């Protein structure tokens, strides 16, 4: 794939200058584009340990479980952190970093496994992809959307920062805050702090004792295990769930 043309004007560009952040790893280089297929593909193709690929619009934005991620221009932060070394827990770190970055202005919650919700609606999704040692930690965060900016089928379940919390929100400022928090978590994971990051993420998911619907079966969440799987009790049998769609009913 050829690298898209860089974005050189507009709100996102202005917001993101002066550019690279004085971080240990994440955000030491930031590349901003007007449009691309998926920033995860850019990260997988071009790599760079800690390089962040940001696009104002994605025409092939991907979500988990093969879903499409709606990535319209001007509305959100669609970005991917490329890493050249895998560590367990990177997806947990991304969810915690988004929560932390919003903390002063919004009470967000992590929904197992890695969505971020505000007031019961999804504001952010994370898609981590890996090939050998190359990792793409992709984050989609809805910022400026009004309800009508979402496709009809998402209007009851998706939201944006501007809808839930008083603005104004500046995408560059939010991105910088996420990258600062993520840099700390990533450095911790490379430094063997998986258990601490996992525990913090598991506590933030707040699953214990809640009634869940997993792929049509209703059970009670018992815990998140050491590897991050959700343990659900269905009629006397406990089952470890690592992916799929989980709906929390209480
Ligand atoms: C999900 O909740 O299903 C995950 C959504 C992840 C979306 C982000 S936007 C930036 C990066 N590029 C992609 O194509 N997907 C991720």
């Amino acid at each position: 794939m050829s690298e898209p043309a860089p974005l050189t004007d507009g709100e996102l560009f202005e917001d993101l200058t002066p550019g690279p952040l004085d971080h240990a790893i994440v955000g030491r280089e930031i590349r901003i584009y007007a449009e691309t297929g998926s920033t995860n593909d850019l990260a997988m193709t071009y790599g760079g340990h800690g390089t962040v690929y940001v696009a104002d619009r994605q025409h092939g934005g991907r979500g988990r479980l093969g879903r499409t991620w709606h990535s319209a221009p001007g509305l959100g932060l669609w970005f991917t952190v490329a890493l050249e070394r895998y560590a367990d827990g990177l997806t947990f770190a991304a969810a915690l970093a988004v929560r932390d970055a919003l903390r002063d202005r919004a009470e967000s919650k992590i929904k197992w496994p890695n969505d971020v919700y505000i007031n019961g609606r999804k504001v952010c999704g994370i898609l981590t992809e890996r090939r050998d040692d190359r990792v793409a930690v992709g984050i989609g965060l809805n910022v400026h959307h009004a309800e009508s900016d979402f496709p009809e089928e998402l209007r009851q379940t998706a939201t944006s920062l501007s809808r839930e919390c008083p603005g104004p929100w500046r995408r560059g400022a939010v991105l910088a805050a996420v990258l600062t928090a993520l840099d700390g978590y990533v450095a911790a994971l490379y430094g063997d702090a998986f258990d601490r990051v996992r525990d913090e993420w598991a506590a933030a998911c707040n699953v214990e004792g809640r009634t869940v619907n997993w792929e049509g079966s209703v059970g009670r969440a018992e815990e998140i295990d050491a590897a991050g799987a959700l343990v659900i009790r269905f009629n006397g049998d406990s089952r470890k769930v690592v992916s799929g769609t989980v709906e929390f009913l209480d």
Side-chain angles (χ1 to χ4, degrees), residues 36-41 53 55 58 60-71 77-81 114-116 122 124-129 136-141:
T36 192
S38 160
T39 53
N40 271 29
D41 291 342
Y53 296 85
Q58 297 182 118
R62 292 195 296 277
R64 290 174 58 237
L65 310 170
R67 295 181 185 131
T68 296
W69 183 262
H70 295 273
S71 320
L77 277 168
W78 326 127
F79 64 100
T80 300
V81 179
N114 46 31
D115 292 338
V116 181
K122 178 164 169 170
C124 169
I126 295 158
L127 178 68
T128 301
E129 296 177 308
V137 182
I139 301 179
L141 179 55

Coordinates of all heavy atoms in Angstrom, one line a residue, residues 36-41 53 55 58 60-71 77-81 114-116 122 124-129 136-141, ligand 1:
T36 N -7.6 7.5 5.0 CA -7.0 6.3 4.7 C -8.0 5.2 4.8 O -9.1 5.4 5.2 CB -5.8 6.0 5.7 OG1 -5.0 4.9 5.2 CG2 -6.2 5.7 7.1
G37 N -7.6 3.9 4.5 CA -8.5 2.8 4.7 C -8.7 2.6 6.2 O -9.8 2.8 6.7
S38 N -7.6 2.1 6.8 CA -7.7 1.9 8.2 C -6.3 2.3 8.8 O -5.3 1.8 8.2 CB -7.9 0.4 8.5 OG -7.5 0.0 9.8
T39 N -6.3 3.0 9.9 CA -5.0 3.4 10.5 C -4.3 2.1 11.0 O -3.1 2.1 11.1 CB -5.2 4.4 11.6 OG1 -6.2 3.9 12.5 CG2 -5.6 5.8 11.1
N40 N -5.0 1.1 11.3 CA -4.4 -0.2 11.7 C -3.5 -0.7 10.6 O -2.4 -1.3 10.8 CB -5.4 -1.2 12.2 CG -5.7 -1.1 13.7 OD1 -5.7 -0.1 14.2 ND2 -6.1 -2.3 14.3
D41 N -4.0 -0.6 9.4 CA -3.2 -1.1 8.2 C -1.9 -0.3 8.1 O -0.9 -0.8 7.7 CB -4.0 -1.0 6.9 CG -5.2 -2.0 6.9 OD1 -5.1 -3.0 7.8 OD2 -6.1 -1.9 6.2
Y53 N -0.5 6.7 14.1 CA -1.1 7.0 12.8 C -2.5 7.5 13.0 O -3.3 6.8 13.6 CB -1.1 5.8 11.9 CG 0.3 5.3 11.5 CD1 1.0 4.5 12.4 CD2 0.9 5.7 10.4 CE1 2.3 4.1 12.1 CE2 2.2 5.3 10.0 CZ 2.9 4.5 10.9 OH 4.1 4.1 10.6
A55 N -6.0 9.5 11.3 CA -6.7 9.9 10.1 C -8.0 10.6 10.4 O -8.7 10.2 11.3 CB -7.0 8.7 9.2
Q58 N -11.6 7.4 7.9 CA -11.2 6.1 7.4 C -12.4 5.6 6.5 O -13.5 5.6 6.9 CB -11.1 5.1 8.6 CG -10.0 5.4 9.6 CD -9.9 4.4 10.6 OE1 -8.9 3.7 10.8 NE2 -10.9 4.2 11.4
G60 N -12.2 2.4 5.4 CA -12.3 1.0 5.7 C -12.1 0.7 7.2 O -11.4 -0.2 7.5
G61 N -12.6 1.6 8.0 CA -12.4 1.4 9.5 C -13.0 0.1 9.9 O -14.1 -0.3 9.6
R62 N -12.2 -0.7 10.7 CA -12.6 -2.0 11.2 C -12.9 -2.0 12.7 O -12.1 -1.4 13.5 CB -11.5 -3.0 10.9 CG -11.2 -3.3 9.5 CD -10.4 -4.6 9.4 NE -9.1 -4.4 10.0 CZ -8.0 -3.9 9.4 NH1 -8.1 -3.4 8.2 NH2 -6.9 -3.8 10.1
G63 N -13.9 -2.8 13.1 CA -14.1 -3.0 14.5 C -13.8 -4.5 14.8 O -13.3 -5.2 14.0
R64 N -14.1 -4.8 16.1 CA -13.9 -6.2 16.5 C -14.9 -7.1 15.8 O -16.0 -6.6 15.3 CB -14.1 -6.4 18.0 CG -12.9 -5.7 18.8 CD -13.3 -5.8 20.3 NE -13.5 -7.1 20.7 CZ -14.6 -7.5 21.3 NH1 -15.6 -6.7 21.5 NH2 -14.8 -8.8 21.7
L65 N -14.7 -8.4 15.8 CA -15.6 -9.4 15.2 C -16.0 -9.1 13.8 O -17.2 -9.3 13.4 CB -16.8 -9.5 16.2 CG -16.5 -9.7 17.7 CD1 -17.8 -9.5 18.5 CD2 -15.9 -11.0 17.9
G66 N -15.1 -8.5 13.0 CA -15.4 -8.3 11.6 C -16.3 -7.1 11.3 O -16.8 -7.0 10.2
R67 N -16.6 -6.3 12.3 CA -17.6 -5.3 12.1 C -16.9 -4.1 11.5 O -15.7 -3.9 11.5 CB -18.2 -4.8 13.4 CG -19.0 -5.9 14.1 CD -19.6 -5.4 15.4 NE -20.3 -6.5 16.1 CZ -20.1 -6.8 17.3 NH1 -19.3 -6.1 18.1 NH2 -20.8 -7.8 17.9
T68 N -17.7 -3.2 10.9 CA -17.3 -1.9 10.3 C -17.2 -0.9 11.5 O -18.1 -0.9 12.3 CB -18.3 -1.4 9.3 OG1 -18.3 -2.4 8.2 CG2 -17.9 -0.1 8.7
W69 N -16.2 0.0 11.4 CA -16.1 1.1 12.4 C -16.4 2.4 11.6 O -15.6 2.7 10.7 CB -14.8 1.1 13.1 CG -14.8 2.2 14.1 CD1 -14.2 3.4 14.0 CD2 -15.3 2.1 15.5 NE1 -14.4 4.2 15.2 CE2 -15.0 3.4 16.1 CE3 -16.0 1.2 16.2 CZ2 -15.4 3.7 17.4 CZ3 -16.4 1.5 17.5 CH2 -16.1 2.7 18.1
H70 N -17.5 3.0 11.9 CA -17.8 4.3 11.2 C -16.9 5.4 11.6 O -16.8 5.7 12.8 CB -19.3 4.6 11.5 CG -20.2 3.6 10.9 ND1 -20.6 3.6 9.6 CD2 -20.7 2.5 11.5 CE1 -21.4 2.6 9.4 NE2 -21.4 1.8 10.5
S71 N -16.2 5.9 10.6 CA -15.1 6.8 10.9 C -15.2 8.1 10.0 O -14.4 8.3 9.1 CB -13.8 6.2 10.6 OG -13.7 4.8 11.0
L77 N -11.7 10.7 16.8 CA -10.3 10.4 16.7 C -10.2 8.9 16.3 O -10.6 8.0 17.0 CB -9.7 10.5 18.1 CG -9.3 11.9 18.6 CD1 -9.0 12.0 20.0 CD2 -8.1 12.4 17.8
W78 N -9.6 8.8 15.1 CA -9.3 7.4 14.6 C -7.8 7.3 14.5 O -7.2 7.9 13.6 CB -10.0 7.2 13.2 CG -11.3 8.0 13.0 CD1 -11.6 8.9 12.0 CD2 -12.5 7.9 13.8 NE1 -12.8 9.4 12.1 CE2 -13.4 8.8 13.2 CE3 -12.8 7.2 14.9 CZ2 -14.7 9.0 13.7 CZ3 -14.1 7.4 15.5 CH2 -15.0 8.3 14.9
F79 N -7.3 6.5 15.4 CA -5.8 6.4 15.4 C -5.3 5.1 15.9 O -6.0 4.3 16.5 CB -5.2 7.5 16.3 CG -5.6 7.4 17.7 CD1 -4.6 6.9 18.7 CD2 -6.8 7.9 18.2 CE1 -4.9 6.8 20.0 CE2 -7.1 7.8 19.6 CZ -6.2 7.3 20.5
T80 N -4.0 4.8 15.5 CA -3.4 3.5 15.8 C -2.0 3.8 16.3 O -1.2 4.5 15.7 CB -3.4 2.6 14.6 OG1 -4.8 2.4 14.2 CG2 -2.8 1.2 15.0
V81 N -1.6 3.1 17.4 CA -0.3 3.1 17.9 C 0.4 1.9 17.4 O 0.0 0.8 17.6 CB -0.2 3.1 19.4 CG1 1.2 3.1 19.9 CG2 -1.0 4.3 20.0
N114 N -13.1 -4.5 26.1 CA -12.3 -3.3 25.8 C -13.1 -2.2 25.1 O -12.6 -1.5 24.3 CB -11.1 -3.6 25.0 CG -11.4 -4.5 23.8 OD1 -12.5 -4.4 23.3 ND2 -10.5 -5.4 23.4
D115 N -14.3 -2.0 25.5 CA -15.1 -0.8 25.1 C -15.1 0.2 26.2 O -15.1 -0.2 27.4 CB -16.5 -1.2 24.7 CG -16.6 -2.1 23.5 OD1 -15.7 -2.1 22.7 OD2 -17.6 -2.8 23.4
V116 N -15.2 1.5 25.8 CA -15.4 2.5 26.8 C -16.8 3.1 26.7 O -17.2 3.5 25.5 CB -14.3 3.6 26.7 CG1 -14.4 4.6 27.8 CG2 -12.9 2.9 26.9
K122 N -21.7 3.4 24.1 CA -20.3 3.2 23.7 C -19.8 4.5 23.1 O -20.3 5.0 22.1 CB -20.3 2.1 22.7 CG -18.9 1.8 22.2 CD -18.8 0.4 21.6 CE -17.5 0.2 20.8 NZ -17.4 -1.2 20.4
C124 N -16.1 4.6 22.7 CA -14.8 4.2 22.2 C -14.7 2.7 22.1 O -15.2 2.0 22.9 CB -13.8 4.7 23.2 SG -12.1 4.1 22.9
G125 N -14.0 2.3 21.0 CA -13.7 0.9 20.8 C -12.2 0.7 20.5 O -11.6 1.7 20.0
I126 N -11.7 -0.4 20.8 CA -10.3 -0.7 20.6 C -10.1 -2.0 19.8 O -10.8 -3.0 20.1 CB -9.6 -0.8 22.0 CG1 -9.7 0.5 22.7 CG2 -8.2 -1.3 21.8 CD1 -9.6 0.4 24.2
L127 N -9.2 -2.0 18.8 CA -9.0 -3.1 18.0 C -7.4 -3.3 18.0 O -6.7 -2.5 17.3 CB -9.5 -3.0 16.6 CG -9.2 -4.1 15.6 CD1 -10.0 -5.4 16.1 CD2 -9.6 -3.8 14.2
T128 N -7.0 -4.4 18.7 CA -5.5 -4.6 18.6 C -5.3 -5.8 17.7 O -5.9 -6.8 17.8 CB -5.0 -5.0 20.1 OG1 -5.3 -3.9 20.9 CG2 -3.6 -5.3 20.1
E129 N -4.3 -5.6 16.8 CA -4.0 -6.6 15.8 C -2.5 -6.9 15.9 O -1.7 -6.0 16.3 CB -4.4 -6.2 14.4 CG -5.9 -6.0 14.3 CD -6.3 -5.5 12.9 OE1 -5.8 -4.5 12.4 OE2 -7.2 -6.2 12.3
A136 N -0.5 -3.4 16.2 CA -1.3 -2.2 16.0 C -2.4 -2.1 17.0 O -3.3 -2.9 17.1 CB -1.9 -2.3 14.6
V137 N -2.3 -1.0 17.9 CA -3.3 -0.8 18.9 C -4.2 0.3 18.3 O -3.8 1.5 18.4 CB -2.7 -0.4 20.2 CG1 -3.8 -0.2 21.3 CG2 -1.7 -1.5 20.7
G138 N -5.4 -0.1 17.8 CA -6.2 0.9 17.1 C -7.3 1.4 18.1 O -8.0 0.6 18.7
I139 N -7.5 2.7 18.1 CA -8.5 3.3 19.0 C -9.4 4.2 18.2 O -9.0 5.1 17.5 CB -7.8 4.1 20.1 CG1 -6.9 3.1 20.9 CG2 -8.8 4.7 21.1 CD1 -6.1 3.8 22.1
G140 N -10.7 4.0 18.4 CA -11.7 4.8 17.7 C -12.5 5.5 18.9 O -13.1 4.9 19.7
L141 N -12.5 6.9 18.9 CA -13.1 7.6 20.0 C -14.1 8.7 19.3 O -13.6 9.5 18.6 CB -12.1 8.3 20.8 CG -12.5 9.1 22.0 CD1 -13.4 8.4 23.0 CD2 -11.2 9.6 22.8
Ligands
LIG1 C1 -14.6 -2.1 18.2 O1 -15.2 -1.6 19.2 O2 -15.2 -2.9 17.5 C2 -13.2 -1.7 17.9 C3 -13.2 -0.4 17.0 C4 -11.8 0.1 16.7 C5 -11.8 1.3 15.8 C6 -10.4 1.9 15.6 S1 -10.5 3.4 14.7 C7 -8.8 3.4 14.5 C8 -8.4 1.9 14.2 N1 -8.5 1.7 12.8 C9 -9.4 0.8 12.5 O3 -9.7 0.4 11.4 N2 -10.0 0.4 13.6 C10 -9.4 1.0 14.8

